[in-house]
Coordinates of all heavy atoms in Angstrom, one line a residue:
M1 N -54.2 118.5 237.4 CA -53.0 118.5 238.1 C -52.7 117.1 238.7 O -53.6 116.5 239.3 CB -53.0 119.5 239.2 CG -51.6 119.6 239.9 SD -51.7 120.4 241.5 CE -52.5 122.0 241.2
L2 N -51.5 116.6 238.6 CA -51.2 115.3 239.1 C -50.9 115.3 240.6 O -50.1 116.1 241.1 CB -49.9 114.8 238.4 CG -49.4 113.4 238.8 CD1 -50.3 112.3 238.4 CD2 -48.0 113.2 238.3
L3 N -51.6 114.5 241.3 CA -51.4 114.5 242.8 C -50.4 113.4 243.1 O -50.5 112.3 242.5 CB -52.7 114.1 243.5 CG -53.8 115.2 243.5 CD1 -55.1 114.7 244.2 CD2 -53.3 116.5 244.2
V4 N -49.4 113.7 243.9 CA -48.4 112.6 244.2 C -48.7 112.1 245.6 O -49.2 112.9 246.5 CB -47.0 113.1 244.1 CG1 -46.6 113.4 242.6 CG2 -46.7 114.3 245.0
K5 N -48.3 110.9 245.8 CA -48.5 110.2 247.1 C -47.1 109.7 247.6 O -46.7 108.7 247.2 CB -49.5 109.0 247.0 CG -50.9 109.4 246.6 CD -51.7 109.7 247.8 CE -52.0 108.5 248.6 NZ -52.9 108.8 249.8
P6 N -46.4 110.5 248.3 CA -45.0 110.2 248.7 C -44.9 108.8 249.4 O -43.9 108.2 249.4 CB -44.6 111.3 249.6 CG -45.6 112.4 249.4 CD -46.8 111.8 248.9
D7 N -46.0 108.4 250.1 CA -45.9 107.1 250.8 C -46.5 106.0 250.0 O -46.7 104.9 250.5 CB -46.7 107.3 252.1 CG -48.2 107.6 251.9 OD1 -48.5 108.0 250.7 OD2 -49.0 107.6 252.8
F8 N -46.6 106.1 248.7 CA -47.1 105.1 247.8 C -46.3 103.8 247.9 O -46.8 102.7 247.9 CB -47.2 105.6 246.4 CG -47.9 104.6 245.4 CD1 -49.0 103.9 245.8 CD2 -47.5 104.4 244.1 CE1 -49.7 103.0 245.0 CE2 -48.1 103.5 243.3 CZ -49.2 102.8 243.7
A9 N -45.0 103.9 247.9 CA -44.1 102.8 248.0 C -44.4 102.0 249.3 O -44.4 100.7 249.2 CB -42.6 103.2 247.9
E10 N -44.6 102.6 250.4 CA -44.9 101.9 251.6 C -46.3 101.2 251.5 O -46.5 100.1 252.0 CB -45.0 102.9 252.8 CG -43.6 103.5 253.1 CD -43.7 104.6 254.1 OE1 -44.6 104.6 254.9 OE2 -42.8 105.5 254.1
E11 N -47.2 101.9 250.9 CA -48.6 101.4 250.7 C -48.4 100.0 249.9 O -49.1 99.1 250.2 CB -49.4 102.4 249.9 CG -50.9 102.3 250.1 CD -51.6 103.4 249.3 OE1 -51.1 104.4 249.0 OE2 -52.8 103.1 249.0
L12 N -47.6 100.0 248.9 CA -47.4 98.9 248.0 C -46.7 97.7 248.8 O -47.0 96.6 248.4 CB -46.6 99.2 246.8 CG -47.3 99.9 245.6 CD1 -46.2 100.2 244.6 CD2 -48.4 98.9 245.1
A13 N -45.9 98.1 249.7 CA -45.2 97.0 250.5 C -46.1 96.0 251.1 O -45.8 94.8 251.2 CB -44.3 97.6 251.5
A14 N -47.3 96.4 251.4 CA -48.3 95.5 252.0 C -48.8 94.5 250.9 O -49.5 93.5 251.3 CB -49.5 96.3 252.5
H15 N -48.5 94.8 249.7 CA -48.9 93.9 248.6 C -47.8 93.1 248.0 O -47.9 92.5 246.9 CB -49.6 94.7 247.5 CG -50.9 95.3 248.1 ND1 -52.1 94.7 248.1 CD2 -51.0 96.6 248.6 CE1 -53.0 95.5 248.6 NE2 -52.4 96.7 249.0
G16 N -46.6 93.1 248.7 CA -45.5 92.2 248.4 C -44.4 92.8 247.5 O -43.6 92.1 247.1
S17 N -44.5 94.1 247.3 CA -43.4 94.7 246.5 C -42.7 95.8 247.2 O -43.3 96.9 247.4 CB -43.9 95.2 245.1 OG -44.9 96.2 245.4
D18 N -41.5 95.5 247.8 CA -40.9 96.6 248.6 C -39.5 96.9 248.1 O -38.7 97.4 248.8 CB -40.8 96.1 250.0 CG -40.1 94.8 250.2 OD1 -39.7 94.2 249.2 OD2 -39.9 94.4 251.3
T19 N -39.2 96.7 246.8 CA -37.9 96.9 246.3 C -37.8 98.1 245.3 O -36.7 98.4 244.8 CB -37.3 95.6 245.6 OG1 -38.2 95.2 244.6 CG2 -37.2 94.5 246.6
A20 N -38.9 98.7 245.0 CA -38.9 99.7 243.9 C -38.0 100.9 244.2 O -37.4 101.5 243.3 CB -40.4 100.3 243.7
M21 N -37.8 101.2 245.5 CA -36.9 102.3 245.8 C -35.5 102.0 245.6 O -34.6 102.9 245.6 CB -37.2 102.8 247.3 CG -38.6 103.2 247.6 SD -39.2 104.5 246.5 CE -38.6 106.0 247.2
E22 N -35.1 100.8 245.3 CA -33.7 100.4 245.0 C -33.4 100.8 243.6 O -32.2 100.9 243.3 CB -33.6 98.9 245.2 CG -33.8 98.3 246.6 CD -32.9 99.0 247.6 OE1 -31.7 99.2 247.3 OE2 -33.4 99.2 248.7
C23 N -34.4 100.9 242.8 CA -34.1 101.2 241.3 C -33.4 102.5 241.1 O -33.7 103.5 241.7 CB -35.5 101.2 240.6 SG -35.4 101.8 238.9
F24 N -32.4 102.5 240.3 CA -31.7 103.7 239.9 C -31.9 104.1 238.4 O -31.1 104.8 237.9 CB -30.2 103.8 240.4 CG -29.3 102.7 239.7 CD1 -28.0 102.7 240.1 CD2 -29.7 101.8 238.8 CE1 -27.1 101.8 239.5 CE2 -28.9 100.8 238.3 CZ -27.6 100.9 238.6
N25 N -32.9 103.5 237.9 CA -33.4 103.9 236.5 C -32.4 103.7 235.4 O -32.3 104.5 234.5 CB -33.9 105.4 236.5 CG -35.4 105.4 237.0 OD1 -36.2 105.1 236.2 ND2 -35.6 105.7 238.2
C26 N -31.6 102.6 235.5 CA -30.6 102.4 234.5 C -31.3 102.0 233.1 O -30.7 102.1 232.1 CB -29.7 101.3 234.9 SG -30.4 99.6 235.1
G27 N -32.5 101.4 233.2 CA -33.1 101.0 231.9 C -32.9 99.6 231.4 O -33.4 99.2 230.4
T28 N -32.1 98.8 232.2 CA -31.8 97.5 231.8 C -33.0 96.6 231.6 O -33.2 95.9 230.7 CB -30.8 96.8 232.8 OG1 -29.6 97.6 232.9 CG2 -30.4 95.4 232.3
C29 N -33.9 96.7 232.6 CA -35.1 95.9 232.6 C -36.0 96.2 231.3 O -36.6 95.3 230.7 CB -35.9 96.1 233.9 SG -36.4 97.8 234.2
A30 N -36.1 97.5 231.0 CA -36.9 97.9 229.8 C -36.2 97.4 228.5 O -36.9 97.1 227.6 CB -37.0 99.4 229.8
A31 N -34.9 97.3 228.5 CA -34.2 96.9 227.3 C -34.4 95.4 227.1 O -34.5 94.9 226.0 CB -32.7 97.2 227.4
I32 N -34.4 94.6 228.2 CA -34.5 93.1 228.1 C -36.0 92.6 228.1 O -36.2 91.5 227.6 CB -33.8 92.5 229.3 CG1 -33.5 91.0 228.9 CG2 -34.5 92.5 230.6 CD1 -32.0 90.6 229.1
C33 N -36.9 93.4 228.5 CA -38.3 93.0 228.6 C -38.8 92.7 227.2 O -38.7 93.5 226.2 CB -39.2 94.1 229.2 SG -40.9 93.7 229.2
P34 N -39.4 91.4 227.0 CA -39.8 91.0 225.7 C -41.0 91.9 225.2 O -41.4 91.8 224.0 CB -40.2 89.6 225.8 CG -40.4 89.4 227.3 CD -39.5 90.4 228.0
L35 N -41.7 92.6 226.0 CA -42.8 93.4 225.6 C -42.4 94.6 224.7 O -43.2 95.1 223.9 CB -43.6 94.0 226.8 CG -44.1 92.9 227.8 CD1 -44.8 93.6 229.0 CD2 -45.1 92.0 227.1
I36 N -41.1 95.1 224.9 CA -40.6 96.3 224.2 C -41.7 97.3 224.2 O -42.2 97.7 223.1 CB -40.1 95.9 222.8 CG1 -39.3 94.6 222.8 CG2 -39.3 97.0 222.2 CD1 -38.9 94.1 221.4
Y37 N -42.1 97.7 225.3 CA -43.3 98.6 225.4 C -43.1 99.8 226.3 O -43.0 99.7 227.6 CB -44.5 97.8 225.9 CG -45.7 98.6 226.3 CD1 -46.5 99.1 225.3 CD2 -46.1 98.7 227.6 CE1 -47.6 99.9 225.6 CE2 -47.2 99.5 228.0 CZ -48.0 100.0 227.0 OH -49.1 100.8 227.3
E38 N -42.9 100.9 225.8 CA -42.9 102.2 226.5 C -42.2 102.2 227.8 O -42.7 102.5 228.8 CB -44.3 102.8 226.6 CG -44.9 103.1 225.2 CD -46.2 103.7 225.3 OE1 -46.7 104.1 226.4 OE2 -46.9 103.9 224.3
H39 N -40.9 101.8 227.8 CA -40.1 101.7 229.0 C -40.6 100.9 230.1 O -40.4 101.2 231.3 CB -39.8 103.2 229.5 CG -39.1 104.0 228.4 ND1 -37.7 104.0 228.2 CD2 -39.6 104.9 227.5 CE1 -37.4 104.8 227.3 NE2 -38.5 105.3 226.8
F40 N -41.4 99.9 229.8 CA -41.9 99.0 230.8 C -40.9 97.9 231.1 O -40.2 97.4 230.2 CB -43.2 98.3 230.2 CG -44.0 97.5 231.2 CD1 -45.1 98.1 231.8 CD2 -43.7 96.2 231.5 CE1 -45.9 97.4 232.7 CE2 -44.5 95.5 232.3 CZ -45.6 96.1 233.0
P41 N -40.6 97.6 232.3 CA -41.3 98.0 233.6 C -40.6 99.2 234.3 O -41.1 99.6 235.3 CB -41.2 96.7 234.4 CG -39.8 96.1 234.1 CD -39.7 96.4 232.6
R42 N -39.5 99.7 233.7 CA -38.8 100.8 234.4 C -39.7 101.9 234.8 O -39.6 102.5 235.9 CB -37.6 101.3 233.5 CG -36.8 102.3 234.2 CD -36.0 103.1 233.2 NE -36.9 103.8 232.2 CZ -37.5 105.0 232.5 NH1 -37.4 105.5 233.7 NH2 -38.3 105.6 231.6
R43 N -40.6 102.3 233.8 CA -41.4 103.4 234.0 C -42.3 103.3 235.3 O -42.6 104.2 236.0 CB -42.3 103.6 232.8 CG -43.3 104.8 232.8 CD -43.8 105.1 231.4 NE -44.3 103.9 230.7 CZ -45.5 103.4 230.8 NH1 -46.4 104.0 231.5 NH2 -45.8 102.3 230.1
M44 N -42.8 102.0 235.5 CA -43.7 101.8 236.6 C -42.9 102.0 238.0 O -43.5 102.5 238.9 CB -44.2 100.4 236.6 CG -45.1 100.1 235.4 SD -46.5 101.3 235.4 CE -47.3 100.9 233.9
L45 N -41.7 101.5 238.0 CA -40.9 101.7 239.2 C -40.6 103.2 239.5 O -40.6 103.7 240.6 CB -39.5 100.9 239.1 CG -39.7 99.5 239.5 CD1 -40.2 98.7 238.3 CD2 -38.5 98.9 240.1
R46 N -40.4 103.9 238.4 CA -40.2 105.4 238.5 C -41.4 106.1 239.1 O -41.4 107.0 239.9 CB -39.8 106.0 237.2 CG -39.3 107.4 237.2 CD -38.0 107.5 238.0 NE -37.5 108.8 238.1 CZ -36.9 109.4 239.1 NH1 -36.7 108.7 240.2 NH2 -36.4 110.6 239.1
Y47 N -42.6 105.7 238.6 CA -43.8 106.2 239.1 C -44.0 106.0 240.6 O -44.4 106.8 241.3 CB -45.1 105.6 238.4 CG -45.3 106.0 237.0 CD1 -46.0 105.2 236.1 CD2 -44.9 107.3 236.5 CE1 -46.2 105.6 234.8 CE2 -45.1 107.7 235.2 CZ -45.8 106.8 234.3 OH -46.0 107.2 233.0
I48 N -43.6 104.7 241.0 CA -43.7 104.4 242.4 C -42.8 105.3 243.2 O -43.1 105.9 244.3 CB -43.3 102.9 242.7 CG1 -44.4 102.0 242.0 CG2 -43.2 102.6 244.2 CD1 -44.0 100.5 242.0
Q49 N -41.5 105.5 242.7 CA -40.6 106.3 243.5 C -41.1 107.8 243.6 O -40.8 108.4 244.6 CB -39.2 106.3 242.7 CG -38.5 105.0 242.8 CD -37.2 105.0 242.0 OE1 -37.1 105.8 241.0 NE2 -36.3 104.2 242.3
L50 N -41.7 108.2 242.6 CA -42.2 109.6 242.6 C -43.6 109.8 243.3 O -44.0 110.9 243.5 CB -42.4 110.1 241.1 CG -41.1 110.2 240.3 CD1 -41.5 110.6 238.8 CD2 -40.2 111.3 240.9
G51 N -44.2 108.6 243.7 CA -45.5 108.7 244.3 C -46.6 109.0 243.3 O -47.6 109.5 243.7
A52 N -46.3 108.8 242.0 CA -47.3 109.1 241.0 C -48.3 108.0 240.8 O -48.4 107.4 239.7 CB -46.5 109.4 239.7
K53 N -49.0 107.7 241.8 CA -50.0 106.6 241.8 C -51.0 106.8 240.7 O -51.4 105.9 240.1 CB -50.6 106.7 243.2 CG -51.7 105.7 243.5 CD -52.1 105.8 245.0 CE -53.5 105.4 245.3 NZ -53.8 105.5 246.7
E54 N -51.4 108.0 240.5 CA -52.5 108.3 239.5 C -52.0 107.9 238.1 O -52.9 107.5 237.3 CB -52.8 109.8 239.5 CG -53.6 110.3 240.6 CD -54.0 111.7 240.5 OE1 -53.9 112.3 239.4 OE2 -54.4 112.3 241.5
K55 N -50.7 108.0 237.8 CA -50.2 107.6 236.5 C -50.4 106.1 236.3 O -50.7 105.7 235.2 CB -48.8 108.0 236.3 CG -48.5 109.5 236.3 CD -49.2 110.2 235.1 CE -48.5 109.8 233.8 NZ -49.2 110.5 232.7
I56 N -50.2 105.3 237.3 CA -50.4 103.9 237.2 C -51.9 103.5 237.1 O -52.3 102.7 236.3 CB -49.8 103.2 238.4 CG1 -48.2 103.4 238.4 CG2 -50.1 101.7 238.4 CD1 -47.5 103.0 239.6
L57 N -52.7 104.2 237.9 CA -54.1 103.9 237.9 C -54.9 104.5 236.7 O -56.0 104.1 236.4 CB -54.8 104.5 239.2 CG -54.2 103.8 240.5 CD1 -55.0 104.4 241.7 CD2 -54.3 102.3 240.5
E58 N -54.2 105.3 236.0 CA -54.8 105.9 234.7 C -55.1 104.7 233.7 O -56.1 104.7 233.0 CB -53.7 106.8 234.1 CG -54.2 108.2 233.8 CD -53.0 109.0 233.4 OE1 -52.2 108.6 232.5 OE2 -52.8 110.1 233.9
E59 N -54.1 103.8 233.7 CA -54.2 102.7 232.7 C -53.7 101.4 233.3 O -52.7 100.9 232.9 CB -53.5 103.0 231.4 CG -54.0 102.3 230.2 CD -53.3 102.7 228.9 OE1 -52.7 103.8 228.9 OE2 -53.3 101.9 228.0
P60 N -54.4 100.9 234.3 CA -53.9 99.7 235.1 C -53.8 98.5 234.2 O -53.0 97.6 234.5 CB -55.0 99.5 236.2 CG -56.2 100.2 235.7 CD -55.7 101.4 234.8
A61 N -54.5 98.4 233.1 CA -54.4 97.2 232.2 C -53.0 97.0 231.7 O -52.7 95.9 231.3 CB -55.4 97.3 231.1
E62 N -52.2 98.1 231.7 CA -50.8 97.9 231.2 C -50.1 96.9 232.0 O -49.3 96.2 231.5 CB -50.1 99.3 231.5 CG -50.3 100.3 230.4 CD -49.3 101.4 230.6 OE1 -49.3 102.0 231.7 OE2 -48.5 101.7 229.7
L63 N -50.4 96.8 233.3 CA -49.7 95.9 234.2 C -50.0 94.4 233.8 O -49.1 93.6 234.0 CB -50.2 96.0 235.7 CG -50.0 97.4 236.3 CD1 -50.8 97.6 237.6 CD2 -48.6 97.7 236.5
W64 N -51.1 94.2 233.2 CA -51.5 92.8 232.8 C -50.8 92.4 231.5 O -50.9 91.3 231.0 CB -53.0 92.6 232.8 CG -53.5 92.2 234.1 CD1 -53.8 90.9 234.5 CD2 -53.8 93.0 235.2 NE1 -54.2 90.9 235.8 CE2 -54.2 92.1 236.3 CE3 -53.7 94.4 235.5 CZ2 -54.5 92.6 237.5 CZ3 -54.0 94.8 236.7 CH2 -54.4 94.0 237.8
R65 N -50.0 93.3 230.9 CA -49.2 92.9 229.8 C -48.0 92.0 230.2 O -47.4 91.3 229.4 CB -48.6 94.1 229.1 CG -49.6 94.9 228.3 CD -48.9 96.2 227.8 NE -49.8 97.0 227.0 CZ -49.8 97.2 225.7 NH1 -48.8 96.6 225.0 NH2 -50.6 97.9 225.1
C66 N -47.6 92.2 231.5 CA -46.4 91.5 232.0 C -46.6 90.0 231.9 O -47.6 89.4 232.3 CB -46.1 91.9 233.4 SG -44.7 91.0 234.2
L67 N -45.6 89.3 231.4 CA -45.6 87.8 231.2 C -45.0 87.1 232.4 O -45.0 85.9 232.5 CB -44.8 87.4 230.0 CG -45.2 88.2 228.7 CD1 -44.1 87.9 227.6 CD2 -46.5 87.7 228.2
H68 N -44.5 87.9 233.3 CA -43.8 87.3 234.5 C -42.7 86.3 234.1 O -42.6 85.2 234.7 CB -44.8 86.8 235.5 CG -45.6 87.9 236.1 ND1 -45.2 88.8 236.9 CD2 -46.9 88.2 235.8 CE1 -46.1 89.7 237.2 NE2 -47.2 89.3 236.6
C69 N -42.0 86.7 233.1 CA -40.9 85.8 232.6 C -39.7 85.9 233.5 O -38.9 85.0 233.4 CB -40.5 86.2 231.1 SG -39.8 87.9 231.0
G70 N -39.6 86.9 234.2 CA -38.5 87.1 235.2 C -37.2 87.6 234.6 O -36.2 87.8 235.4
L71 N -37.1 87.9 233.3 CA -35.9 88.4 232.7 C -35.4 89.8 233.4 O -34.3 90.0 233.6 CB -36.1 88.6 231.2 CG -36.1 87.4 230.4 CD1 -36.5 87.7 229.0 CD2 -34.8 86.6 230.5
C72 N -36.4 90.6 233.7 CA -36.0 91.9 234.3 C -35.4 91.7 235.6 O -34.4 92.3 236.0 CB -37.3 92.8 234.4 SG -38.7 92.0 235.2
T73 N -36.0 90.8 236.4 CA -35.5 90.6 237.8 C -34.1 89.9 237.7 O -33.2 90.3 238.5 CB -36.5 89.7 238.5 OG1 -37.7 90.4 238.7 CG2 -35.9 89.2 239.8
Q74 N -33.9 89.0 236.7 CA -32.6 88.4 236.6 C -31.5 89.3 236.2 O -30.3 89.2 236.6 CB -32.6 87.3 235.5 CG -33.4 86.0 235.9 CD -33.6 85.1 234.7 OE1 -32.9 85.1 233.7 NE2 -34.7 84.4 234.8
T75 N -31.8 90.4 235.5 CA -30.8 91.3 235.0 C -30.6 92.6 235.8 O -29.7 93.4 235.5 CB -31.0 91.6 233.5 OG1 -32.3 92.0 233.3 CG2 -30.8 90.4 232.7
C76 N -31.5 92.9 236.7 CA -31.5 94.2 237.4 C -30.2 94.2 238.3 O -30.0 93.4 239.1 CB -32.7 94.3 238.3 SG -32.6 95.8 239.3
P77 N -29.4 95.3 238.0 CA -28.1 95.3 238.8 C -28.3 95.8 240.2 O -27.4 95.8 241.0 CB -27.3 96.4 238.0 CG -28.3 97.2 237.3 CD -29.5 96.3 237.0
R78 N -29.5 96.2 240.6 CA -29.8 96.7 241.9 C -30.6 95.8 242.8 O -31.0 96.2 243.9 CB -30.5 98.1 241.8 CG -29.6 99.2 241.2 CD -28.7 99.8 242.3 NE -29.5 100.5 243.3 CZ -29.0 101.0 244.4 NH1 -27.7 100.9 244.6 NH2 -29.8 101.7 245.2
G79 N -31.0 94.7 242.2 CA -31.9 93.8 243.0 C -33.2 94.4 243.3 O -33.9 94.1 244.3
A80 N -33.7 95.2 242.3 CA -35.0 95.9 242.5 C -36.2 94.9 242.2 O -37.3 95.3 242.6 CB -35.1 97.1 241.7
D81 N -35.9 93.8 241.6 CA -37.0 92.8 241.4 C -38.2 93.4 240.7 O -39.3 93.3 241.2 CB -37.4 92.2 242.7 CG -38.0 90.8 242.5 OD1 -38.4 90.5 241.4 OD2 -38.2 90.1 243.5
P82 N -38.0 94.0 239.5 CA -39.2 94.6 238.9 C -40.3 93.7 238.6 O -41.5 94.1 238.6 CB -38.6 95.2 237.6 CG -37.2 94.6 237.4 CD -36.8 94.2 238.8
G83 N -40.1 92.4 238.3 CA -41.2 91.5 238.0 C -42.1 91.4 239.2 O -43.3 91.4 239.1
E84 N -41.5 91.3 240.4 CA -42.3 91.2 241.6 C -43.0 92.5 241.9 O -44.1 92.5 242.4 CB -41.4 90.8 242.8 CG -42.1 90.6 244.1 CD -43.2 89.6 244.1 OE1 -43.1 88.6 243.3 OE2 -44.1 89.7 244.9
V85 N -42.4 93.6 241.6 CA -43.0 94.9 241.8 C -44.3 95.0 240.9 O -45.3 95.5 241.4 CB -42.0 96.1 241.4 CG1 -42.8 97.4 241.4 CG2 -40.9 96.1 242.4
I86 N -44.2 94.5 239.7 CA -45.4 94.6 238.8 C -46.5 93.7 239.4 O -47.6 94.0 239.4 CB -45.0 94.1 237.4 CG1 -44.0 95.0 236.7 CG2 -46.3 94.0 236.5 CD1 -44.4 96.5 236.6
L87 N -46.1 92.5 239.9 CA -47.1 91.6 240.5 C -47.7 92.3 241.7 O -48.9 92.2 241.9 CB -46.4 90.3 240.9 CG -47.3 89.2 241.4 CD1 -48.3 88.8 240.4 CD2 -46.4 88.0 241.8
G88 N -46.9 93.0 242.5 CA -47.4 93.7 243.7 C -48.4 94.8 243.3 O -49.4 95.1 243.9
L89 N -48.1 95.5 242.1 CA -49.0 96.5 241.6 C -50.3 95.9 241.2 O -51.4 96.5 241.4 CB -48.3 97.3 240.5 CG -47.3 98.3 240.8 CD1 -46.5 98.8 239.6 CD2 -48.0 99.5 241.5
K90 N -50.2 94.7 240.6 CA -51.5 94.1 240.2 C -52.3 93.7 241.4 O -53.6 93.9 241.4 CB -51.1 92.8 239.3 CG -50.6 93.1 238.0 CD -49.9 92.0 237.3 CE -50.8 91.0 236.6 NZ -50.0 90.1 235.8
R91 N -51.7 93.2 242.4 CA -52.4 92.9 243.7 C -53.0 94.2 244.2 O -54.2 94.2 244.7 CB -51.4 92.3 244.7 CG -51.0 90.9 244.4 CD -50.3 90.3 245.6 NE -49.5 89.2 245.3 CZ -48.2 89.1 245.3 NH1 -47.5 90.1 245.6 NH2 -47.6 88.0 244.9
Y92 N -52.3 95.3 244.2 CA -52.7 96.6 244.7 C -54.0 97.0 244.0 O -55.0 97.4 244.5 CB -51.6 97.6 244.6 CG -52.1 99.0 245.0 CD1 -52.2 99.4 246.4 CD2 -52.6 99.9 244.0 CE1 -52.6 100.6 246.7 CE2 -53.0 101.1 244.4 CZ -53.1 101.5 245.7 OH -53.6 102.7 246.1
V93 N -53.9 97.0 242.6 CA -55.0 97.4 241.8 C -56.2 96.5 242.0 O -57.3 97.0 242.2 CB -54.6 97.4 240.3 CG1 -55.8 97.6 239.4 CG2 -53.6 98.5 240.0
T94 N -56.0 95.2 242.1 CA -57.1 94.3 242.3 C -57.8 94.6 243.7 O -59.0 94.6 243.8 CB -56.6 92.9 242.3 OG1 -56.0 92.6 241.0 CG2 -57.8 91.9 242.4
A95 N -57.0 94.8 244.7 CA -57.5 95.0 246.0 C -58.2 96.4 246.2 O -59.1 96.5 247.0 CB -56.4 94.9 247.1
N96 N -57.8 97.3 245.4 CA -58.4 98.7 245.6 C -59.3 99.1 244.4 O -59.8 100.3 244.4 CB -57.2 99.7 245.6 CG -56.5 99.6 247.0 OD1 -56.9 100.0 248.0 ND2 -55.4 98.8 246.9
W97 N -59.6 98.2 243.6 CA -60.4 98.5 242.4 C -61.7 99.2 242.7 O -62.0 100.3 242.1 CB -60.7 97.3 241.6 CG -61.2 97.6 240.2 CD1 -62.6 97.4 239.8 CD2 -60.5 98.1 239.1 NE1 -62.7 97.8 238.5 CE2 -61.5 98.2 238.1 CE3 -59.2 98.5 238.9 CZ2 -61.1 98.7 236.8 CZ3 -58.9 99.0 237.6 CH2 -59.8 99.1 236.6
R98 N -62.4 98.7 243.7 CA -63.7 99.2 244.0 C -63.7 100.4 244.9 O -64.7 101.1 245.1 CB -64.6 98.1 244.6 CG -64.8 97.0 243.6 CD -66.2 96.4 243.7 NE -66.4 95.4 242.7 CZ -67.1 95.6 241.6 NH1 -67.5 96.8 241.3 NH2 -67.2 94.6 240.7
K99 N -62.5 100.7 245.5 CA -62.4 101.8 246.5 C -62.0 103.1 245.7 O -62.2 104.1 246.3 CB -61.3 101.5 247.5 CG -61.6 100.3 248.3 CD -60.4 100.0 249.3 CE -60.4 98.6 249.9 NZ -59.2 98.2 250.5
S100 N -61.4 102.9 244.5 CA -60.9 104.1 243.9 C -61.9 104.9 243.1 O -63.0 104.4 242.9 CB -59.7 103.8 243.0 OG -60.1 102.8 242.0
Ligands
LIG201 S1 -32.9 97.2 235.8 FE1 -33.3 97.5 238.0 S2 -32.2 99.4 238.4 FE2 -32.4 99.3 236.2 S3 -34.2 100.5 235.7 FE3 -34.8 98.3 235.9 S4 -35.5 98.1 238.0 FE4 -34.3 100.0 237.9
LIG202 S1 -41.4 89.8 234.0 FE1 -42.7 91.2 233.0 S2 -41.8 93.2 233.0 FE2 -40.2 91.7 233.5 S3 -39.2 91.2 231.6 FE3 -40.8 89.7 231.9 S4 -42.6 90.6 230.8 FE4 -41.1 92.3 231.1

């Protein structure tokens, strides 16, 4: 059973990404992302909104696919800054690797 953490977005804010809740899941970032990979990065923001921390920690290496090209951030109509959110998730995973 998937455990959700409703305060996951707040937990991430300490790692520099506090815009995920602005996302309204339009999919623009996933369409422009050069990775063309399973709704990345939109899917990660959705997981944060749902508090589905386990889904992100299931396969954290996915985060390191990001090239930090900034295209998603430039085109997001909500100012959700998905590129920075991915960077914050990487910081979170790195900081919590040995604790999980
Ligand atoms: S472009 Fe912005 S609002 Fe649209 S899915 Fe991506 S992060 Fe969310
Ligand atoms: S910054 Fe990362 S997630 Fe955003 S478009 Fe570039 S490769 Fe994709």
Side-chain angles (χ1 to χ4, degrees):
M1 186 198 305
L2 177 70
L3 292 177
V4 295
K5 297 272 290 180
D7 59 349
F8 186 41
E10 289 171 30
E11 206 178 335
L12 276 179
H15 297 273
S17 61
D18 58 356
T19 57
M21 298 308 275
E22 300 300 321
C23 170
F24 61 179
N25 275 282
C26 67
T28 303
C29 57
I32 198 127
C33 178
L35 299 177
I36 316 173
Y37 171 71
E38 297 186 7
H39 301 277
F40 192 94
R42 183 201 61 79
R43 180 167 47 88
M44 296 302 176
L45 277 83
R46 190 64 178 145
Y47 287 154
I48 294 168
Q49 291 178 336
L50 296 172
K53 177 173 154 178
E54 283 184 16
K55 292 296 289 179
I56 294 170
L57 296 182
E58 236 172 47
E59 206 176 335
E62 276 190 306
L63 301 168
W64 270 264
R65 288 174 179 252
C66 178
L67 307 167
H68 296 290
C69 64
L71 288 172
C72 52
T73 294
Q74 284 169 30
T75 52
C76 174
R78 292 279 293 175
D81 202 348
E84 181 61 27
V85 171
I86 298 300
L87 189 57
L89 281 169
K90 286 162 87 169
R91 289 192 195 109
Y92 173 84
V93 168
T94 304
N96 290 280
W97 189 256
R98 298 216 175 262
K99 297 179 200 163
S100 58

